[in-house]
Amino acid sequence: MADDGVNTKVEAVSKATTETIELRTEDGGVFDVDKPVAMEFLILKSFYEDEGRVFDKTSIRLPNVKQLELSKVIEYCTRALEFGAKSAAAAGDKDAERMVRQEREGFEAEFVDELSNEMLKELILAVNFLDIKEMLDFLIRSVANRIRNRSVAYVRQFFDIENDFTPQEEDQIHQENAWAFEGVDAD
Amino acid sequence: MGQSTSTAASSGRRESNQSQLSKTKSKSLIYPMQIEYAEEQQGTIDGEPDYISKLPDECLACIFQSLGSGDRKRCSLVCRSWLRIEGQSRHRLSLNAPSDLLAMIPSIFSRFDAVTKLALKSDRKSESIGDEGLILISLKCRNLTRLKLRSCRGLTDAGMEAFAKNCKGLKKLSCGSCTFGAKGMNAVLDNCSALEELSVKRLRGITDGAGAAAEPIGPGVAASALKTICLKELYNGQCFGPVIIGAKNLRTLKLIKCSGDWDKLLPVIANRVTSLVEVHLERLQVTDLGLVGISSCLDLEILHLVKTPECTNMGLVLLAERCRLLRKLHIDGWKANRIGDEGLIAVAKGCPNLQELVLIGVNPTKLSLESLASNCKNLERLALCGSDTVGDAEISCIGAKCLALKKLCIKSCPVSDQGLEALAGGCPNLVKVKLKKCRGVTPEGAEWLRATREPLAVNLDNGAAEHQDASASDGGAQENVVEIPPPPPVHTQMEAAVPSSSTARSSSWKSKLGMVSILKRWSSGNSSSRGS
């Protein structure tokens, strides 16, 4: 994608003047990200905190991330922080807590619905690289949902994987698998 | 090879990614990070120019962990690296265990090399895995924390002993329909010092021969770690006495359909195991003496008394006076009418913390319901099943007085739509109502209640299907069930004959007083001998 100066300003969680950091993606996207959101990316957090650097308006280049993914990541993390704040504010009030939970579930359902399989995979790679635990857990659950109860062939196609078993190996695996019964196992 | 990596800390993830990468030779991530401060104050998180082209192993392992056994099997067939990762990240495995499992053990357990929770299930028709197989498994799964055995009749004491010596970290053992005996059980207790939970059902090897006493079981080194003991359908369950009594930190004790007299053992247990907070007694030969014995557990919070018709109001009254911390009480009176208003009123007065009350085959009237409602300010969950005395008047009493109630279940009671009207105007905190097999309640009535009390969830089920009642007993019918003989007409430890259910109310005052004085003497005698 050509560098047409895509520049996204992300609203801060609090309305006070928040420091931002500039992130540049591999394909030329430029994002001004609020510090609280950026610090959710542990790769950045440790970059600053572990290395003892001063958080100034440095522009950081992320070679493994494209702009489409980064914008999705920023969207999710910003909302996640908002929900976190709302949850904290609602603490103790069961009805309010439930409302925040439902709102969050609604957002997450919509968010993931809009993602193609390809995008979901790309996001996992990006989020794993950026090291954002909460979002990674969410994406992983979403992928699991998409391959649940699907055939082996479907799963291979989903992940674009080639079957590298010999027929004999497949037979042996089938044989071993037959010994395992469907765990009803609630311990 | 090797144990699967944890997915917890982010730094852990990075390191393990790195080590995984050296094994799998895929593209590496950015390590270390470099920053170049150019004049324009630009920084770079440096790295290889290419993406990782496939998902990192740890992400895959996390995906598998969100899937069930069937899906995991399918994933193992996708490709070689998935087979490896799925196998290494599989901690829980349930295997069919006939005798020919033996030949598969080496390959299965080199594929699944990180199993900590294992179930082996055979059936009564075929020969099960034997000692050799179990020992082989125990050598491959040294870190086993949980073992579940079902119908593994090929296992003997020797096999259990060898297993226990190899898997000393065992935390939970559950065995059902096995045939080893006290020696094997003792071997587990003597080797597995971290054992927290012991569940035994139908252990054939502890049946005594003609009149011979069964070998005692316990306490063993496991005694101080044990938190839960559950015994079901055992002859000679009393031989577990030593391990129960020796379990100084035991919190939960469940005795279900175990034959023999428990009146003697229960008081001893209650006196010595002061940490008990949960006790289930179901289909046991236990009378008020045993019940009063249990009342020495002053910290008791949860009590299930299911189908123990020799436990009467008297025992419950005395228990309620002592067990003030009772939170959950389930009583299945088996329609024997031995427990009713009198006992429940005592519970109401003695146990202000009561949160959950389930009454099956018990006939409370407004007297006790009112008392419960006014005294138990935290009563949140109430279930009344098979009560001939719970009708619309009782429901309206509940509605008017049970202010903390959140969940209400009424089953097979003479309640009608009118009762629902009363409910609509009461129980301000009600979240869910279940009405099952109440012939007087119509779908229209339920719909009306739903509409009137939105967002109250109203579940109406008049279906013919037999529903499980809220008792603690097994669901399906069991063949070869240990049948407790019906209560004898005269109990030797009591002054007066225990009246049969139909004449429960006609027993004379004198015999009642005599009973109470025996029980009181006995329970206070117990308390003075405590604290040694």
Side-chain angles (χ1 to χ4, degrees), chain B residues 322-374:
Chain B
R322 302 183 74 199
C323 298
R324 301 282 175 152
L325 300 181
L326 206 61
R327 276 190 305 116
K328 297 187 188 183
L329 179 61
H330 288 216
I331 301 179
D332 184 338
W334 225 355
K335 302 219 176 194
N337 275 325
R338 310 308 293 282
I339 290 182
D341 281 343
E342 192 183 333
L344 293 173
I345 290 172
V347 168
K349 295 196 174 141
C351 310
N353 289 349
L354 198 66
Q355 283 175 333
E356 180 176 302
L357 180 62
V358 174
L359 299 174
I360 301 170
V362 172
N363 287 323
T365 70
K366 274 191 358 178
L367 274 174
S368 55
L369 291 173
E370 261 170 15
S371 186
L372 285 161
S374 359

Side-chain angles (χ1 to χ4, degrees), chain B residues 6-28:
Chain B
S6 87
T7 55
S10 55
S11 55
R13 188 179 292 136
R14 274 191 220 146
E15 265 114 47
S16 59
N17 262 344
Q18 218 165 19
S19 59
Q20 288 285 1
L21 292 170
S22 56
K23 276 187 235 159
T24 62
K25 295 197 182 121
S26 47
K27 310 274 197 261
S28 67

